[in-house]
Amino acid sequence: MKEGPDIARIGMLIGDPARANMLTALMGGQALTATELAQAAGVTVQTASSHLSKLEDGGLIAQRKQGRHRYFALADAAAGTLLESIMGFAASRGHLRHRPGPKDPALRKARVCYDHLAGDYGVRMLDSFVARGAITSDGENLSVTAQGHSELAGLGLDLSPPASNRRPLCKSCLDWSERRSHLAGTLGKALLQHFMEKGWARRGDESRAVVFTPEGERQFLSLFPI
Amino acid sequence: MKEGPDIARIGMLIGDPARANMLTALMGGQALTATELAQAAGVTVQTASSHLSKLEDGGLIAQRKQGRHRYFALADAAAGTLLESIMGFAASRGHLRHRPGPKDPALRKARVCYDHLAGDYGVRMLDSFVARGAITSDGENLSVTAQGHSELAGLGLDLSPPASNRRPLCKSCLDWSERRSHLAGTLGKALLQHFMEKGWARRGDESRAVVFTPEGERQFLSLFPI
DNA sequence: TTCATACTTCGATCGTAGCCGAAGCATTGT
DNA sequence: ACAATGCTTCGGCTACGATCGAAGTATGAA
């Protein structure tokens, strides 16, 4: 009597508001951490963890361990297509969800990615470094040239000290809003710190947004031309 | 602030086993009464009634009063397509309600997808049309060529009438068992109807399977060679 | 009218799934 | 070594929704 695929299982997974919010957040195509997804869903990390393992068991998402982070992303294109088609149907029936907080377009401009700058500004910064030959991009790996070292020293950044530091000086990190790489690693962290110490920028209170002052914005744009 | 479609609402509706069973039963394309659907779901009529009103509010099904009966059916072709795509995803992840039973091979061979033919035969039909140039597949969209129109007219199918019909003549629908596209839309519906009027095939009694007579099978295979 | 059928609404029960606090691993940085 | 961070697991609490019996409404037939 019963035959065919178990649509109820998929429906149940998508049917919980917290999980639906996580999946919607992942529709951007960018891998997110459990903490970020918990924030997106409006639940604690414990609850989010439980949801994430269910979604993974159901084959909707996949996780990738990277350092002490676990990045979660949609399992594959089929999962994205499925969600897209459900969104299309929901929209056609006028079922819209209302989210409490305003969604900041400021996040796309500049935001914190763990400890470094991401978003439009983060991508621009790396592009500018590469264009002027301060950083060379060897496919996946990044490295600072001699010219780059002297330039950074001119900014007052000393990058030599902890030679025992296992963390790479330069690292690229994929940006969800730009879908391109921005500058991570020790250098990326140091630069963001530098901007904030100079008073050019500050972190947003409740969000990951980074807000630049008018003076800071001017300085940033002149330091990192396209 | 409204942000995006509410996929959780759709998911929750489909996520309940009883409702999922009802929807699966309605995928046969026939309108069923509340009592029949209650039986299909394995619940009492009171419970079924509650589920049906929720599904109707959600825009997945529609009811038609007729005498003291109320016939329930999928709201439209979009609802059928949505369910089929969810079935496809669930099947691809190995989520089956019941391991392959006796009826399963029949379902994979030929079944009703809301109002058109799906399964192996449905896919074969579209493949055959495309291979001989009766239908052109422009990536996502399908359209009938001049040759196709004359060929269909030869079968006794008149496809011109309701010019006001917003439903596309030709549409592709992803098949959960074959993971390929089959022919949906007005043409897909007309063809299935044609087969049944000719006495080549009939609907299965309790399932979505489409059973071909020996003569019907012979005709079908010669009409749609690979 | 009265009875029978088909379905809905009401009320109450009950199971399960979501939720969070606290504790437990795992990895990284100092 | 130790501390800090990111995430998972465990246990108990709570709330929502699925379920069914009983009663109510609507349609059709005797």
Side-chain angles (χ1 to χ4, degrees), chain A residues 33-35 46 49 68:
Chain A
T33 66
T35 305
Q46 309 95 286
S49 178
R68 64 177 140 190

Side-chain angles (χ1 to χ4, degrees), chain B residues 33 35 46 49 68 70:
Chain B
T33 66
T35 304
Q46 307 96 287
S49 178
R68 63 177 136 185
R70 293 194 184 187

